[in-house]
Amino acid sequence: MFDLLVTGGTVVDGTGAPAYRADVAVNGDRIAAIGALAHASAARTVDATGKVVAPGFIDMHTHSDLTLRADARGWSKLRQGVTTDVVGNCGMTPYPVAADPERERVLKESLFAIADDMPWGWHGLRGYRETLQAQGIAINVAPLVGHSAIRGAAMGFGEGHATADDLAAMRRLLSEALDDGAFGLSTGLTLPPSSYGDTDEVVALCAALAARPGRLYCSHVRGDTVDGPTGMREALEIGRRAGVPVHLAHMAVNDPRRWGTASEVMDEMDGAARAGVDVTCDVYPYAASSSGFSQCLPGWAQSGGRLDTVARLRDPSTRARIRDDMEGDGLLAGWPWHWDRLMVCRVVNPEWRHAEGMTFADLAATRGVAPIDAALDLMAADEGRVQIIFFYRTEEDMRTFLRHPRSMVGSDGSALTAGGPTGGGRPHPRNYGAAARVLGRYVRETPVLGLEDAIHRMSGKVADRLGVRDRGRIRAGFAADLAVIDPHAVVDHATFEAPHQYATGVPWVVVNGAVAVADGEPTGVHRGRVLAA
Ligand SMILES: [Zn+2]
């Protein structure tokens, strides 16, 4: 007698091995048996005839840290079959929280707060875990700890070089998070205050990782320059010098002058691997990225956090300096400004909501000003919270990254639920569609990957990289995180114009043995956990 029996399906087990016909039985929160079990009895039976039974997907790169706190349902991920989100990416985590109230305030401001008044009630990863588990969440999360949060707690959110004392304080906070189960350290080297740290600082922190084999250095790298993938080179150097495994987030070629060079980038990564660096990467299946517009301002103008930036924008002479530096320096690492490729996707100020969906070129035209002035006016009016989409990538480069043997899939998106507190703005469709898009567009419609390979890159391969030993595979004794997929129908529907649309073709999802999606509809059962390394 089993608790749950999934019969008649084709098992794609998450290892990359060929699919095979088998039934899958679950007892409690574990996979109990795999084989010809159609005549076994079970409390509940799911007919998966004609469907693929896969491990629940593990999304290697997400920002669901607070979205699941704000709305535990996480339907944008759950309905794609994602059962675990890796959180804490790009340097920013909601822990550690400094005892200093000013530093606590800036940390909260920086986390693009979904609901500014949402109570946190924790200081470290341990408290964050207890809070989320007490609340209940639809999917699991696997936490990293962020360099920006650590640096902010140890030395504030301003510019400045870390002293030996600062480094010691950061290492204490990092070690505490690692002791509490963080899977690694993330940096966001275009995002302050992580961006204020130099290579030596990150190497010094990664030395604390090296004492715990398998914990990852996950890097959102510094912007590549016209000279090549300089940000990746720095991350590889950090891995080599600190002796830690490196995982590169959201691979891309963003500078239009270097479009088409993805295979050269991956050749260089392979070369570093041959020279001894343990390196992997993730990518999401879109030719556009998204983040706050504030990182496009000069580094000095972002010092101290969002409200300090806004104060600078409201001072005419400081704003003029910001404008001059932006025009002179280019976008991020010096990329050419293409204002028609930068689209506003989230504005909090209701008087400026109409800008959502417009490029800065559009907004400038309606206001009769230069695009850079439209952008800075909007930033000031929205108190620095403007989120944008960058159409700065090519489909061809994305496919090159996606098919490379070192890559896995990471959406860079969050677990959102339409109509709820996380359902506002026009966020990047990756939040709702990345996994389903891989299976629908890049396995079935215009194949880049085979089905088993694609599922491997969204399950077993990710679990292996994280060191999660009991998830990511269909295997007896493993956690019962399952996705039943219709391989002929699975597809994403979210677009840049209308992103809050769920993927379809994933009729059943099981999280820790509990049915979380039944016949395509979420059940409201929240059995997710905060995993620990
Ligand atoms: Zn990032």
Side-chain angles (χ1 to χ4, degrees):
M1 176 82 179
F2 296 112
D3 293 337
L4 176 68
L5 193 55
V6 181
T7 60
T10 298
V11 170
V12 175
D13 71 1
T15 66
Y20 62 97
R21 262 282 308 116
D23 310 309
V24 177
V26 171
N27 266 337
D29 63 359
R30 298 278 137 180
I31 296 171
I34 302 150
L37 306 167
H39 299 294
S41 59
R44 183 168 192 176
T45 299
V46 169
D47 180 5
T49 304
K51 310 287 195 299
V52 163
V53 183
F57 301 135
I58 305 174
D59 188 335
M60 184 62 185
H61 188 99
T62 87
H63 293 283
S64 302
D65 312 50
L66 291 177
T67 63
L68 286 166
R69 170 78 176 129
D71 190 330
R73 294 175 291 175
W75 285 2
S76 69
K77 297 298 182 74
L78 183 67
R79 295 178 76 149
Q80 296 181 74
V82 174
T83 56
T84 302
D85 266 5
V86 177
V87 299
N89 281 288
C90 303
M92 195 46 92
T93 39
Y95 49 80
V97 181
D100 175 289
E102 170 66 10
R103 291 178 186 178
E104 177 175 358
R105 181 186 65 78
V106 179
L107 175 68
K108 290 186 174 181
E109 269 171 29
S110 324
L111 274 155
F112 341 109
I114 304 298
D116 284 338
D117 52 355
M118 182 171 65
W120 283 22
W122 61 80
H123 288 277
L125 171 54
R126 186 178 308 177
Y128 170 81
R129 169 181 289 110
E130 286 164 0
T131 303
L132 258 64
Q133 295 201 157
Q135 170 194 307
I137 47 177
I139 61 173
N140 305 307
V141 300
L144 304 167
V145 61
H147 178 220
S148 279
I150 287 175
R151 198 179 208 270
M155 54 185 288
F157 287 80
E159 278 187 288
H161 187 74
T163 64
D165 284 350
D166 294 330
L167 280 177
M170 282 192 262
R171 284 180 65 153
R172 271 196 303 278
L173 292 167
L174 172 58
S175 296
E176 193 178 305
L178 295 171
D179 288 345
D180 285 343
F183 287 84
L185 171 71
S186 74
T187 53
L189 294 171
T190 66
L191 304 158
S194 185
S195 57
Y196 301 142
D198 59 16
T199 307
D200 288 344
E201 175 178 325
V202 183
V203 170
L205 291 176
C206 282
L209 286 178
R212 295 167 174 82
R215 307 288 177 103
L216 296 173
Y217 168 49
C218 295
S219 192
H220 161 137
V221 300
R222 254 181 261 274
D224 292 351
T225 65
V226 74
D227 299 326
T230 45
M232 178 181 82
R233 286 173 195 153
E234 181 191 27
L236 295 168
E237 180 194 337
I238 290 165
R240 183 176 52 73
R241 285 173 56 193
V244 292
V246 178
H247 182 81
L248 294 147
H250 40 64
M251 291 300 293
V253 178
N254 291 292
D255 188 330
R257 295 164 296 187
R258 291 183 46 243
W259 280 348
T261 61
S263 40
E264 292 163 39
V265 172
M266 294 312 291
D267 287 349
E268 200 168 322
M269 191 189 293
D270 285 339
R274 281 193 298 275
V277 181
D278 176 3
V279 56
T280 51
C281 61
D282 62 61
V283 61
Y284 53 89
Y286 297 87
S289 58
S290 180
S291 75
F293 184 65
S294 59
Q295 70 165 322
C296 305
L297 272 58
W300 62 265
Q302 300 172 65
S303 183
R306 177 164 64 84
L307 296 185
D308 286 7
T309 302
V310 174
R312 292 183 188 105
L313 283 170
R314 288 182 176 156
D315 175 71
S317 67
T318 315
R319 172 171 159 151
R321 265 182 69 205
I322 291 172
R323 191 186 192 284
D324 285 351
D325 281 6
M326 287 169 71
E327 288 204 314
D329 296 346
L331 174 59
L332 287 169
W335 314 332
W337 288 102
H338 291 297
W339 295 100
D340 57 340
R341 292 183 171 274
L342 301 174
M343 187 180 90
V344 178
C345 69
R346 182 162 181 260
V347 174
V348 175
N349 182 342
E351 286 169 31
W352 286 76
R353 275 274 156 80
H354 63 276
E356 288 180 354
M358 297 171 86
T359 68
F360 283 129
D362 298 335
L363 186 63
T366 66
R367 295 174 54 75
V369 298
I372 190 168
D373 292 314
L376 295 179
D377 290 346
L378 178 60
M379 276 294 279
D382 202 40
E383 300 191 324
R385 289 175 290 207
V386 180
Q387 298 278 316
I388 63 166
I389 293 177
F390 302 72
F391 292 95
Y392 265 75
R393 299 178 178 181
T394 71
E395 173 82 13
E396 181 204 345
D397 282 331
M398 183 279 291
R399 287 171 186 243
T400 301
F401 291 125
L402 187 61
R403 75 165 67 88
H404 193 279
R406 288 185 192 285
S407 76
M408 44 198 96
V409 178
S411 70
D412 204 4
S414 305
L416 309 178
T417 304
T422 61
R426 290 200 198 193
H428 194 298
R430 67 194 183 190
N431 294 281
Y432 283 81
R437 189 174 179 83
V438 168
L439 297 174
R441 316 273 177 205
Y442 298 109
V443 171
R444 186 180 61 238
E445 292 177 6
T446 51
V448 172
L449 300 170
L451 180 65
E452 291 91 339
D453 186 11
I455 288 176
H456 180 220
R457 291 164 192 261
M458 299 196 291
S459 57
K461 190 170 189 175
V462 184
D464 288 348
R465 191 55 169 157
L466 292 168
V468 174
R469 289 181 220 298
D470 64 346
R471 288 176 200 272
R473 290 182 192 190
I474 307 275
R475 180 167 295 178
F478 271 49
D481 291 346
L482 305 172
V484 177
I485 297 150
D486 182 343
H488 307 293
V490 61
V491 77
D492 58 303
H493 298 287
T495 62
F496 290 97
E497 294 73 32
H500 293 289
Q501 303 194 71
Y502 299 113
T504 53
V506 185
W508 295 84
V509 181
V510 176
V511 179
N512 292 312
V515 175
V517 174
D519 263 331
E521 291 301 321
T523 61
V525 173
H526 292 172
R527 207 62 68 77
R529 293 184 194 143
V530 180
L531 308 181

